[in-house]
Amino acid sequence: MSSTPFSGPYSSYLTTISILNLQLMISTQFTDQECLDWEKSLRIDLEKANTAIVTDPITERLKDAPLFLLNELRLSSISTAIINFTSTTEHYIKDILELSLQRNDGLRKKAFSNCNISALELEEFESIDEIKKKLFKSISSENSKGQLFSNKFKKANSFLNIKSHNNGSNIFQNLDSIWRLRNKIAHSNTGFLKKLEINTNSGTKVLNKEPEKDEYLNFSIEFLKIIDEFTKFLKKWDNSVLVKWPANSFVN
């Protein structure tokens, strides 16, 4: 029995998400003793490098306030994971839209019917395929816009005319809560955020500014559960896109 095919963009997405999962899980194992050990090894390495960077504040903080720095590392790790996850997902949506336009002339005709090209744009490119590639990018970007994930996905799904696979799941609400948090992180200093909060299948999960290890581990696991559920959902959706818009006339 053959496995369900999936696209190149999904394969790349899955690789990035796997690395993100590993990095986030490793960060749950940081300890204050490790901060002290890092201070010693970092000081030695910096002395060897003979760097002009002012490093005393860094090494002193590691030595004198390892617990404070541990909290900062935990919050930084989860904030980075949230930003990486959301940006990777947004790139995937654009990539699968662009691939579908490359693969299928029926989708291209549908998309191009609403496009106007100026004489200056025609002058800029040497071939029809170059013009098409530019249109693919602009169309993909336009059809994946939205402040929250549900807005972006709804627009892309409508453009591709794919039947929803949601089946009453809370996944979109959970994802939207991650996008809201991403927007807060992106537009503020994380040091001023009193807490990080997301929706999950088991209720609202909160990560306080000075999280204990168990609190941080629980929050990270719940976050990864959302990613895992979405990754499985996305694989089915990705396959539906390939089936709906097969490669009948590929533009390189």
Side-chain angles (χ1 to χ4, degrees):
M1 184 176 178
S2 60
S3 59
T4 302
F6 50 84
S7 69
Y10 180 79
S11 178
S12 298
Y13 178 82
L14 197 61
T15 298
T16 302
I17 293 300
S18 297
I19 295 171
L20 184 151
N21 289 355
L22 177 61
Q23 290 174 335
L24 189 56
M25 281 291 93
I26 288 175
S27 70
T28 67
Q29 303 305 302
F30 293 157
T31 66
D32 52 350
Q33 181 57 51
E34 283 181 315
C35 289
L36 293 172
D37 294 338
W38 293 337
E39 185 274 327
K40 295 176 183 177
S41 61
L42 181 60
R43 178 161 36 82
I44 292 171
D45 288 342
L46 291 173
E47 288 174 356
K48 288 180 180 178
N50 192 27
T51 177
I53 300 173
V54 178
T55 58
D56 287 345
I58 301 172
T59 54
E60 289 302 312
R61 178 57 65 89
L62 280 166
K63 181 174 65 175
D64 297 338
L67 186 57
F68 173 84
L69 189 62
L70 183 58
N71 290 331
E72 292 298 309
L73 284 171
R74 286 171 176 164
L75 291 173
S76 176
S77 293
I78 196 71
S79 297
T80 300
I82 288 168
I83 291 171
N84 287 346
F85 167 65
T86 53
S87 63
T88 297
T89 303
E90 289 173 0
H91 278 297
Y92 163 78
I93 295 174
K94 290 179 182 178
D95 287 347
I96 191 64
L97 288 173
E98 191 170 341
L99 176 65
S100 299
L101 287 164
Q102 288 178 311
R103 283 164 51 94
N104 190 276
D105 59 2
L107 185 61
R108 290 199 294 274
K109 290 174 184 177
K110 172 187 173 182
F112 291 168
S113 65
N114 297 316
C115 291
N116 293 311
I117 304 175
S118 69
L120 287 176
E121 288 177 305
L122 289 173
E123 180 66 23
E124 182 181 352
F125 298 101
E126 295 182 0
S127 70
I128 294 297
D129 281 351
E130 285 182 330
I131 296 172
K132 287 180 179 179
K133 288 177 184 178
K134 181 184 178 183
L135 288 174
F136 294 162
K137 291 187 181 298
S138 63
I139 292 168
S140 299
S141 179
E142 181 63 31
N143 285 282
S144 58
K145 286 183 176 179
Q147 185 176 13
L148 300 178
F149 172 77
S150 59
N151 306 133
K152 297 173 183 293
F153 187 81
K154 182 179 180 180
K155 197 160 189 178
N157 202 55
S158 176
F159 173 72
L160 292 170
N161 193 24
I162 304 296
K163 182 179 178 182
S164 174
H165 293 280
N166 197 19
N167 296 326
S169 168
N170 292 327
I171 186 64
F172 281 14
Q173 293 94 317
N174 296 342
L175 290 166
D176 279 353
S177 74
I178 294 174
W179 256 259
R180 288 190 189 95
L181 184 53
R182 188 279 302 272
N183 293 338
K184 288 182 180 179
I185 293 170
H187 295 98
S188 68
N189 187 325
T190 53
F192 292 103
L193 293 179
K194 294 182 178 180
K195 62 183 179 181
L196 305 182
E197 184 176 316
I198 59 173
N199 295 340
T200 75
N201 289 341
S202 57
T204 301
K205 294 298 176 184
V206 176
L207 187 67
N208 293 309
K209 194 171 181 180
E210 298 181 358
E212 297 290 335
K213 179 178 179 179
D214 288 346
E215 181 188 355
Y216 178 71
L217 178 62
N218 180 259
F219 188 92
S220 299
I221 289 174
E222 290 298 326
F223 175 56
L224 292 180
K225 283 181 181 179
I226 296 173
I227 294 178
D228 182 62
E229 181 184 1
F230 176 63
T231 301
K232 292 173 181 175
F233 165 86
L234 199 61
K235 182 177 182 181
K236 293 180 181 179
W237 185 79
D238 183 271
N239 177 251
S240 296
V241 174
L242 297 184
V243 172
K244 178 75 175 181
W245 304 107
N248 64 0
S249 179
F250 202 90
V251 175
N252 293 320

